[in-house]
């Protein structure tokens, strides 16, 4: 009977949640290319653990991945190109990393989007502090985009197919608009769903390049002929294949892995904490 299937609670969508749902409904690349990686993150995980033991501060692991992502993109700018119209590519100078953060709003936690602007010129510490600031109550979540575009995305009603087509046309003609809202590249972290187990996350990207941070698990790895336990991150790289071909994708991915596994930038953080 219908009385047995009624929900016990009905909650109105927050403006931020409505905004994100409308963002997700925008046209996406139709030819995504996925790379499933296993990345040794023992160095950075040990650093974060030791830092927490000494200072009590919990450094952002996602922040470190964003830090390395920004540096790898800085060296391979072609992976953050976008289509502009039917015959042109648009290239962006600054590397802006878009990600989702969870912040306390009243007695509830709310997901909101945040863009780390010019991330390739920021240190790991600066990116960490920016993420923690974005997670704090009352943080500024304003978006840098035309007011009319934001007003449409924040509309609580149901979009018509015509409006979606218009927005899709606008985005294709002027990629600076979605980039101003979402960044040039993005990160999604889903590793909390499978701690201690191997698992990759998948998504169809809004960017030309996205990382999906999956689970971390201890695995046996052969190093110099010896089997040693290492912490391995399951990382998914998602490219828009309409823009990024195999060669650039391979070079970017190789550099990203080198930066993460080599503990890029951690020596700067160690020097800072030793002062």
């Amino acid at each position: 009977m219908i009385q047995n299937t009624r929900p016990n609670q009905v909650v109105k969508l927050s403006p931020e949640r409505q905004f994100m749902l409308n963002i997700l409904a925008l046209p996406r690349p139709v030819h995504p290319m996925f790379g499933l990686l296993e990345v040794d993150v023992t160095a950075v995980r040990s650093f974060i653990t030791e830092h927490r033991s000494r200072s009590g501060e919990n450094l952002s692991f996602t922040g470190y991945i964003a830090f390395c992502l920004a540096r790898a993109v800085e060296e391979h700018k072609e992976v953050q190109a976008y289509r502009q119209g039917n015959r042109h590519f648009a290239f962006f100078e600054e590397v802006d990393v878009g990600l989702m953060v969870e912040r306390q709003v009243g007695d509830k936690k709310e997901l909101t989007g945040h863009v780390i602007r010019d991330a390739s010129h920021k240190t790991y510490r600066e990116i960490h502090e920016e993420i923690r600031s974005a997670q704090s109550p009352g943080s500024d979540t304003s978006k840098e985009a035309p007011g009319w575009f934001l007003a449409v995305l924040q509309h609580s009603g149901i979009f018509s197919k015509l409006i979606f087509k218009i927005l899709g046309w606008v985005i294709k003609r002027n990629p600076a608009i979605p980039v101003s809202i979402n960044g040039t590249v993005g990160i999604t972290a889903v590793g909390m769903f499978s701690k201690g187990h191997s698992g990759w996350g998948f998504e169809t990207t809004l960017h030309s390049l996205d990382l999906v941070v999956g689970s971390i698990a201890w695995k046996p790895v052969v190093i110099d002929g010896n089997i040693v336990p290492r912490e391995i991150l399951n990382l998914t790289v998602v490219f828009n294949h309409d823009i990024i071909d195999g060669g650039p994708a391979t070079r970017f991915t190789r550099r990203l892995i080198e930066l993460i596994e080599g503990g890029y930038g951690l020596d700067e953080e160690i020097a800072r904490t030793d002062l």
Side-chain angles (χ1 to χ4, degrees):
M1 297 177 62
I2 191 170
Q3 64 182 13
N4 294 327
T5 58
R6 292 176 180 173
N8 64 342
Q9 186 180 19
V10 177
V11 178
K12 184 178 179 180
L13 292 175
S14 67
E16 187 68 26
R17 171 60 69 176
Q18 185 66 59
F19 180 85
M20 293 308 303
L21 289 176
N22 289 339
I23 282 283
L24 292 172
L26 290 175
R28 292 166 175 257
V30 295
H31 301 115
M33 177 171 57
F34 298 92
L36 302 181
L37 311 177
E38 289 189 333
V39 184
D40 188 339
V41 293
T42 308
V44 63
R45 293 275 288 180
S46 296
F47 175 83
I48 290 174
T49 299
E50 291 170 5
H51 180 83
R52 184 170 58 244
S53 299
R54 291 195 312 268
S55 67
E57 181 185 32
N58 188 24
L59 293 172
S60 171
F61 177 75
T62 300
Y64 183 74
I65 300 299
F67 171 64
C68 292
L69 167 64
R71 172 50 52 187
V73 173
E74 177 71 22
E75 298 177 16
H76 300 277
K77 290 285 183 63
E78 63 271 24
V79 299
Q80 65 169 10
Y82 285 79
R83 288 282 297 275
Q84 182 168 308
N86 294 322
R87 298 186 177 183
H88 298 87
F89 284 149
F91 292 87
F92 292 85
E93 181 62 25
E94 289 188 357
V95 181
D96 298 334
V97 179
L99 47 83
M100 300 297 295
V101 298
E102 191 177 56
R103 61 189 180 121
Q104 194 73 32
V105 179
D107 59 349
K108 298 179 180 178
K109 291 186 179 294
E110 182 180 274
L111 278 176
T112 185
H114 180 74
V115 178
I116 302 170
R117 303 290 177 188
D118 201 15
S120 60
H121 292 99
K122 293 180 177 177
T123 64
Y124 173 33
R125 163 63 55 175
E126 289 171 331
I127 290 176
H128 159 76
E129 291 179 349
E130 185 170 332
I131 290 174
R132 293 295 183 249
S133 177
Q135 290 173 328
S136 63
S139 59
D140 181 15
T141 58
S142 58
K143 308 295 190 299
E144 299 176 9
W148 68 267
F149 193 88
L150 293 176
V152 172
L153 289 178
Q154 290 167 344
H155 189 270
S156 59
I158 299 176
F159 281 167
S160 68
K161 291 183 179 180
L162 176 60
I163 292 178
F164 273 120
K165 287 183 179 180
I166 293 173
L167 290 179
W169 181 84
V170 169
I171 289 172
K172 189 174 181 179
R173 297 287 296 180
N174 187 3
I177 292 178
V179 163
S180 68
I181 300 172
N182 300 317
T184 56
V185 296
I187 291 180
T188 299
V190 297
M192 70 288 294
F193 297 130
S194 54
K195 287 184 177 180
H197 301 278
S198 296
W200 287 266
F202 287 85
E203 69 168 354
T204 53
T205 178
L206 287 168
H207 303 93
S208 293
L209 164 65
D210 260 333
L211 296 185
V212 185
V213 180
S215 64
I216 298 175
W218 285 97
K219 295 184 179 181
V221 176
V222 178
I223 299 179
D224 297 329
N226 299 312
I227 298 177
V228 295
R230 307 291 288 181
E231 285 194 274
I232 304 299
L233 167 68
N234 292 311
L235 185 67
T236 306
V237 188
V238 189
F239 299 99
N240 180 356
H241 204 0
D242 293 342
I243 297 173
I244 304 170
D245 295 322
T250 299
R251 289 188 289 272
F252 161 80
T253 302
R254 184 184 301 120
R255 183 55 176 152
L256 176 65
I257 294 174
E258 288 174 352
L259 292 171
I260 297 173
E261 293 191 337
Y264 171 71
L266 295 182
D267 53 345
E268 297 179 13
E269 181 64 21
I270 291 172
R272 190 194 71 84
T273 55
D274 287 342
L275 293 177

